[in-house]
Amino acid sequence: MTHADAFHVPDGPHDIRLVVCDMDGTLLDGAKRIPDALWPLVERMRERGILFAPASGRQHATLARQFARLGEGLVVIAENGSYVRRGDAEISSSPMPAGTVPEIVAAVRAHAAAGYDVGAVLCGKRSAYIERSDDAFLSRSQPYYAALEVVDDLAAVDDDFLKVAVYDFGDAAHDTAPVLARFDGDLKVVVSDRHWIDIMGAGVDKGVAVRRLQEALGITPSQTVVFGDYLNDLEMMDASELSFAMANAHPDVAARARYTAPSNEDAGVITTLRRLLDHPVG
């Protein structure tokens, strides 16, 4: 990949069939809201046979609720790529290896006992689970997990686990990522923003999810547009020939993408899609 070209949208025509878009720092504005301008734009894409798919560390239930107005057949890449659905049909899932969750839970508990303000969210197919239920932690977890249960012991929960998300009220990359680094290899540990760290099965990422979706739908990288801003979007940049890093993106993402979109605060996804749609095939 070449370094992203600042605020450049390639000239058409563009045979686009799939648009994959990260949420926080990408589509959502500074108040964590979906821009109102997205809905008519998605309808315009639908009329042209273009699918829109949110791709996020958020769970499927949360994304399905946020995009409910798009109706049946909604395509969702959830849990940082470990769960992909189209409507009621599962396209792919990548559960964590058996026995790994209790070790991660123990590590987070030990880190908290050492004085760090952290908590874990155990993400299953049926629900997400927490054992820390104070208002501060709930306020950080609930926006991402519409299906959320408080349990006595995370290590005793029975579900198909897709991810463990760890929230650090301080600096996740500096304070908590080094503690969880020992799981990297057998698992995948990724800092998804300043406060969240996601732990998934090895080889699981949004890029793999996009490729599985492309394969299931018969769509090529040249027909795919992706937007992202942070480290959990890196691999997704490689799955599209129309990859856009937001102007506010992490430098590594900007270097990996082919192009740059305006920042999320400037509705960069909306602006870029409008320009792309103005140059369709034929």
Side-chain angles (χ1 to χ4, degrees):
M1 293 291 176
T2 60
H3 286 273
D5 299 320
F7 303 100
H8 174 62
V9 175
D11 294 332
H14 305 294
D15 178 22
I16 299 170
R17 292 291 174 264
L18 175 64
V19 174
V20 180
C21 189
D22 173 56
M23 294 284 284
D24 295 273
T26 300
L27 176 63
L28 304 186
D29 63 21
K32 303 288 187 180
R33 297 172 301 198
I34 297 173
D36 290 338
L38 176 71
W39 308 116
L41 194 57
V42 171
E43 183 58 34
R44 182 180 171 191
M45 289 191 288
R46 179 179 288 170
E47 291 171 355
R48 295 189 183 181
I50 303 170
L51 289 170
F52 176 84
S56 175
R58 298 167 187 239
Q59 69 179 169
H60 177 268
T62 303
L63 294 168
R65 182 179 66 181
Q66 289 179 290
F67 291 90
R69 65 191 293 176
L70 298 186
E72 297 180 1
L74 174 67
V75 180
V76 169
I77 297 175
E79 308 287 13
N80 269 333
S82 59
Y83 198 36
V84 184
R85 291 180 65 92
R86 184 179 189 187
D88 295 330
E90 179 180 303
I91 290 177
S92 68
S93 65
S94 304
M96 297 177 69
T100 57
V101 168
E103 295 182 30
I104 298 168
V105 170
V108 175
R109 287 172 177 164
H111 194 46
Y116 292 91
D117 196 1
V118 296
V121 182
L122 181 54
C123 308
K125 280 190 178 182
R126 294 193 301 272
S127 181
Y129 309 88
I130 55 175
E131 60 186 19
R132 180 174 168 176
S133 59
D134 57 281
D135 290 343
F137 189 69
L138 282 171
S139 70
R140 269 62 172 191
S141 303
Q142 287 173 331
Y144 299 95
Y145 301 99
L148 183 65
E149 297 180 21
V150 179
V151 299
D152 293 330
D153 183 2
L154 284 178
V157 174
D158 181 22
D159 200 341
D160 292 324
F161 303 121
L162 301 166
K163 185 184 74 176
V164 179
V166 180
Y167 188 88
D168 184 334
F169 282 84
D171 186 332
H174 182 269
D175 296 333
T176 300
V179 173
L180 300 176
R182 64 187 176 91
F183 296 107
D184 207 17
D186 294 332
L187 299 169
K188 182 165 188 173
V189 181
V190 58
V191 179
S192 54
D193 73 10
R194 182 183 174 188
H195 298 289
W196 285 103
I197 298 173
D198 292 328
I199 306 172
M200 304 162 290
V204 177
D205 56 57
K206 290 183 183 179
V208 171
V210 172
R211 289 189 177 92
R212 289 176 177 172
L213 183 58
Q214 289 168 333
E215 181 178 356
L217 301 177
I219 293 171
T220 68
S222 66
Q223 296 172 315
T224 304
V225 180
V226 301
F227 295 93
D229 77 301
Y230 213 73
L231 297 174
N232 58 334
D233 300 320
L234 270 176
E235 293 85 358
M236 195 165 68
M237 298 295 116
D238 299 338
S240 165
E241 293 181 14
L242 290 167
S243 58
F244 291 86
M246 311 309 290
N248 52 288
H250 188 285
D252 291 352
V253 178
R256 193 87 154 246
R258 290 178 181 266
Y259 306 101
T260 300
S263 77
N264 65 314
E265 295 277 20
D266 294 324
V269 170
I270 304 300
T271 300
T272 303
L273 283 176
R274 282 175 176 160
R275 291 184 60 182
L276 288 170
L277 292 172
D278 285 342
H279 300 88
V281 168

